[in-house]
Amino acid sequence: MPSCKPKTRFIPATCAWTLLLACTTLFFVYPCISLFYSLGIYVPVYQGVVTLFVVLNFSLATFMDPGVIPKDEDRDDDFRAPLYKNVEINGITVRMKWCVTCHFYRPPRCSHCSVCNHCIETFDHHCPWVNNCIGRRNYRYFFMFLCSLSIHMISIFTFCLIHVLDRKEYLTEPTTIVR
C-alpha cells in the first residue's frame, strides 16, 4: 500500500526536474553569454559538460530499475511460511525474513519499499525527488547525480557571482540624464 497518493507522488520529481532545467536555462541565457564575451568559450563548455553529467545521472537514477525482485504471485501458502529462515551462504548462516507482500524470503540487505510495493536489492531508500527507490542497480548513478549536482550548483553560483562583480561598476556609476 503506497504511502502517498498516486496523483501526488510525481509532484516532487516534477519540481526537481523543472527547477534543474529552468535554473540551468536561465544561467545559459543570461550570465553565461556575458561570461562568454569576458572569459571566453571555457565557461559555457565547462558548464555544458557538468550539466550533461547532472542530467544524465539524474535520468539514470530516475528511470533505471533499482533492483526489483519479482513477486511470486503463484504462492498461496504464505500464511504457513515461518517468519524467518536460516540459509547457509558461503559457509555463513544468514537469517532471511519472509516478505508477506511479495511471497518469498528476502535475501540479505533486501527490503520492501512501502511506496513502490516491491522488494529491492541492497535497498537504501525511496527518493521522492527521483520518484524511484535507490538500490543495487541505480545507487552509483544517484551518488554521481548528487556529486555532479553539487559541482553544478557551486559553479553556477561562482559564475553568477563573477558576473555580478563584473557588472558592479555599471551599477554604481551615477546616471546622467541627457536633455
Side-chain angles (χ1 to χ4, degrees), residues 1 35 42-43 53 64 89 108 113 127 130 134 152 173 176:
M1 185 165 171
L35 292 170
Y42 304 111
V43 172
F53 275 105
M64 183 171 263
I89 302 173
C113 177
C127 182
V130 298
I134 307 304
H152 181 65
E173 289 179 1
T176 57

Side-chain angles (χ1 to χ4, degrees), residues 65-124:
D65 174 28
V68 174
I69 300 174
K71 295 180 181 181
D72 188 5
E73 300 292 339
D74 298 333
R75 198 153 174 174
D76 292 330
D77 61 343
D78 63 319
F79 63 91
R80 286 181 246 154
L83 186 59
Y84 292 101
K85 176 172 135 181
N86 291 330
V87 177
E88 191 168 315
I89 302 173
N90 295 333
I92 300 171
T93 303
V94 178
R95 188 175 185 189
M96 296 172 54
K97 186 177 180 184
W98 176 258
C99 181
V100 177
T101 308
C102 298
H103 304 283
F104 64 84
Y105 286 99
R106 293 192 303 236
R109 299 247 7 239
C110 176
S111 292
H112 188 86
C113 177
S114 61
V115 178
C116 296
N117 201 26
H118 289 289
C119 282
I120 309 293
E121 287 183 272
T122 320
F123 181 75
D124 189 65

Side-chain angles (χ1 to χ4, degrees), residues 137-149:
R137 296 185 190 150
N138 68 348
Y139 185 83
R140 73 183 73 136
Y141 302 114
F142 181 74
F143 181 75
M144 288 305 296
F145 163 65
L146 293 179
C147 291
S148 59
L149 182 65

Side-chain angles (χ1 to χ4, degrees), residues 2-179:
S3 65
C4 59
K5 295 178 184 173
K7 292 180 182 179
T8 60
R9 76 171 195 210
F10 295 106
I11 291 175
T14 304
C15 289
W17 275 104
T18 304
L19 189 62
L20 172 67
L21 296 176
C23 291
T24 303
T25 302
L26 285 174
F27 172 77
F28 278 110
V29 169
Y30 293 109
C32 191
I33 292 172
S34 173
L35 292 170
F36 169 71
Y37 290 119
S38 63
L39 299 176
I41 189 111
Y42 304 111
V43 172
V45 168
Y46 168 78
Q47 201 58 43
V49 169
V50 171
T51 301
L52 180 69
F53 275 105
V54 171
V55 171
L56 182 68
N57 285 306
F58 194 17
S59 298
L60 287 170
T62 300
F63 300 114
M64 183 171 263
D65 174 28
V68 174
I69 300 174
K71 295 180 181 181
D72 188 5
E73 300 292 339
D74 298 333
R75 198 153 174 174
D76 292 330
D77 61 343
D78 63 319
F79 63 91
R80 286 181 246 154
L83 186 59
Y84 292 101
K85 176 172 135 181
N86 291 330
V87 177
E88 191 168 315
I89 302 173
N90 295 333
I92 300 171
T93 303
V94 178
R95 188 175 185 189
M96 296 172 54
K97 186 177 180 184
W98 176 258
C99 181
V100 177
T101 308
C102 298
H103 304 283
F104 64 84
Y105 286 99
R106 293 192 303 236
R109 299 247 7 239
C110 176
S111 292
H112 188 86
C113 177
S114 61
V115 178
C116 296
N117 201 26
H118 289 289
C119 282
I120 309 293
E121 287 183 272
T122 320
F123 181 75
D124 189 65
H125 69 286
H126 181 90
C127 182
W129 304 109
V130 298
N131 193 31
N132 199 3
C133 289
I134 307 304
R136 173 179 292 246
R137 296 185 190 150
N138 68 348
Y139 185 83
R140 73 183 73 136
Y141 302 114
F142 181 74
F143 181 75
M144 288 305 296
F145 163 65
L146 293 179
C147 291
S148 59
L149 182 65
S150 298
I151 292 168
H152 181 65
M153 290 172 23
I154 290 168
S155 60
I156 282 185
F157 175 77
T158 303
F159 288 137
C160 287
L161 185 63
I162 290 169
H163 173 72
V164 168
L165 292 177
D166 280 350
R167 300 283 176 156
K168 184 175 147 184
E169 58 195 40
Y170 298 115
L171 297 174
T172 58
E173 289 179 1
T175 56
T176 57
I177 300 174
V178 179
R179 293 181 192 205

